[in-house]
Amino acid sequence: MSATIEGRAEELLTAKNFCNVAASAATEPSTAWPVWVDVQDGRPVVKQRRGRSWVRNLERDPRVTLTVRTWRTV
């Protein structure tokens, strides 16, 4: 079951920010990849092509960590 995204977290994910997605791998250490993420129906949606190794890892084990990188202008 995935967590429902709302409030500031939803704002960060729907804004033009990169998100690092870390997914566990069966035979190697977890790796984080910068991707675009959106929110649909309160759930995070990772925008990426199928066939990449980390996407296959995510399909096998849906536990994931999302880290949003925000940019602040001074």
Side-chain angles (χ1 to χ4, degrees), residues 12 20 23 25-27 31 39 41 44 48 50 53-55 74:
L12 289 171
N20 288 330
T27 59
T31 305
V39 177
D41 298 324
Q48 194 55 254
R50 288 186 171 269
S53 62
W54 74 268
V55 175
V74 180

Side-chain angles (χ1 to χ4, degrees), residues 12-13 15-22 31-38 45-49 52 54-55 58 64-69:
L12 289 171
L13 290 176
K16 293 182 179 180
N17 295 312
F18 278 108
C19 183
N20 288 330
V21 175
T31 305
W33 298 93
V35 298
W36 290 110
V37 176
D38 201 356
V45 177
V46 177
K47 298 183 178 190
Q48 194 55 254
R49 293 189 325 233
R52 296 191 178 231
W54 74 268
V55 175
L58 188 58
V64 64
T65 300
L66 302 176
T67 305
V68 178
R69 301 178 347 189

